Amino acid sequence: EENIRFANEFLKNTLLSSEDNALSISAKGIYHNIMSKIHEILYDYTNCYLSSQKFVEIIHENPSVFENNVTNYVLPAHYNLLMTCIYLNKKEPFFENLKRMQQIPERYPAGFSPMLDKIIKLMAVNAELQYYVQNGYFPEAVKLVPKAEKALDDDNSIGFLSLKVEVYYNIAYAFFGLGNYDKCIDWLNKFIQKEQLDLREDLLAYAWLLNLTSHYEL
């Protein structure tokens, strides 16, 4: 409730009354980025999708404006749009934008690095897993496991930890959905028993519930 009150108060800001108040290309992009976050806080996923989509379109129409902000704006914008497509089960826009995100290194060679390439591959496979899992397409999700394993093995940097844990969880969830509880537990055990890791509390709570339910089913 506190976040919703904050969002509604924030919307009263004069600069957010219209896109016309944004006087540059980058400002217009940031305007839609802010609005997408406000809509997300308000659980208005339809308008969140529209704002996220607009931000991505502005980026694609003006690549030179954002070429120095690939990690701050370009990549997060595509990933946020993918998440809203997942919430709304928008299959065609999801895969269209997934392809766009995978092409970021080609479109922005100046900002390319091997590390960025690895994280995009990991983000892409996680988003695709999440699309299938959240919308109940469990067989399709399990087919992605070899691809996910390759992305997971590509780098063991601590900087990838939170994203890797999401991949583990989504794979576990897919096996749970297919009734393969042993496999579900195997994937959950890759992170839930490692107490030294600083993990997202919400994801960890869901993981323990999934673990408990899997043991019950067995």
Side-chain angles (χ1 to χ4, degrees):
E1 290 182 6
E2 184 180 345
N3 288 335
I4 290 172
R5 282 196 298 271
F6 167 79
N8 285 321
E9 283 298 313
F10 203 71
L11 278 173
K12 295 176 184 178
N13 189 302
T14 306
L15 292 173
L16 294 179
S17 61
S18 170
E19 181 188 346
D20 295 337
N21 292 322
L23 304 180
S24 69
I25 297 297
S26 59
K28 288 182 187 296
I30 293 168
Y31 165 82
H32 288 291
N33 188 34
I34 292 171
M35 291 304 293
S36 71
K37 293 304 175 187
I38 294 294
H39 293 314
E40 185 178 358
I41 291 170
L42 297 173
Y43 298 102
D44 184 353
Y45 293 122
T46 299
N47 280 316
C48 179
Y49 167 75
L50 294 174
S51 294
S52 297
Q53 185 183 45
K54 185 66 177 176
F55 187 23
V56 169
E57 290 304 326
I58 289 172
I59 289 172
H60 273 261
E61 290 168 6
N62 305 275
S64 61
V65 175
F66 297 93
E67 63 184 353
N68 295 320
N69 283 294
V70 175
T71 54
N72 291 331
Y73 289 130
V74 178
L75 182 53
H78 286 76
Y79 197 67
N80 290 338
L81 179 55
L82 288 175
M83 293 302 107
T84 58
C85 289
I86 290 169
Y87 296 147
L88 298 171
N89 194 10
K90 288 183 172 289
K91 186 174 183 178
E92 189 174 331
F94 174 85
F95 284 100
E96 179 183 329
N97 190 60
L98 180 66
K99 185 176 179 180
R100 278 182 164 185
M101 189 177 80
Q102 291 168 322
Q103 292 172 342
I104 286 175
E106 300 169 26
R107 287 178 58 83
Y108 299 91
F112 175 81
S113 70
M115 183 69 77
L116 180 63
D117 186 50
K118 287 177 181 179
I119 200 165
I120 287 176
K121 286 177 180 175
L122 197 55
M123 290 174 77
V125 76
N126 183 55
E128 193 171 357
L129 277 168
Q130 197 163 332
Y131 175 80
Y132 288 135
V133 164
Q134 292 297 317
N135 292 296
Y137 307 123
F138 301 121
E140 286 85 350
V142 168
K143 288 176 187 175
L144 279 176
V145 171
K147 184 177 178 181
E149 288 178 320
K150 186 177 185 305
L152 287 165
D153 291 340
D154 208 19
D155 190 278
N156 292 313
S157 166
I158 195 71
F160 290 82
L161 180 60
S162 62
L163 191 54
K164 285 186 173 184
V165 167
E166 282 192 45
V167 175
Y168 293 148
Y169 176 79
N170 282 320
I171 292 173
Y173 199 120
F175 280 116
F176 180 87
L178 291 174
N180 192 334
Y181 307 114
D182 285 314
K183 280 278 192 181
C184 174
I185 292 167
D186 286 344
W187 280 94
L188 291 174
N189 282 340
K190 291 180 182 291
F191 68 95
I192 59 173
Q193 308 219 21
K194 298 179 180 179
E195 296 178 3
Q196 75 276 18
L197 299 181
D198 184 19
L199 302 176
R200 272 175 39 199
E201 289 185 355
D202 61 331
L203 191 61
L204 196 56
Y206 281 124
W208 276 109
L209 285 168
L210 198 59
N211 185 59
L212 183 64
T213 310
S214 295
H215 279 91
Y216 172 82
E217 293 292 345
L218 287 169

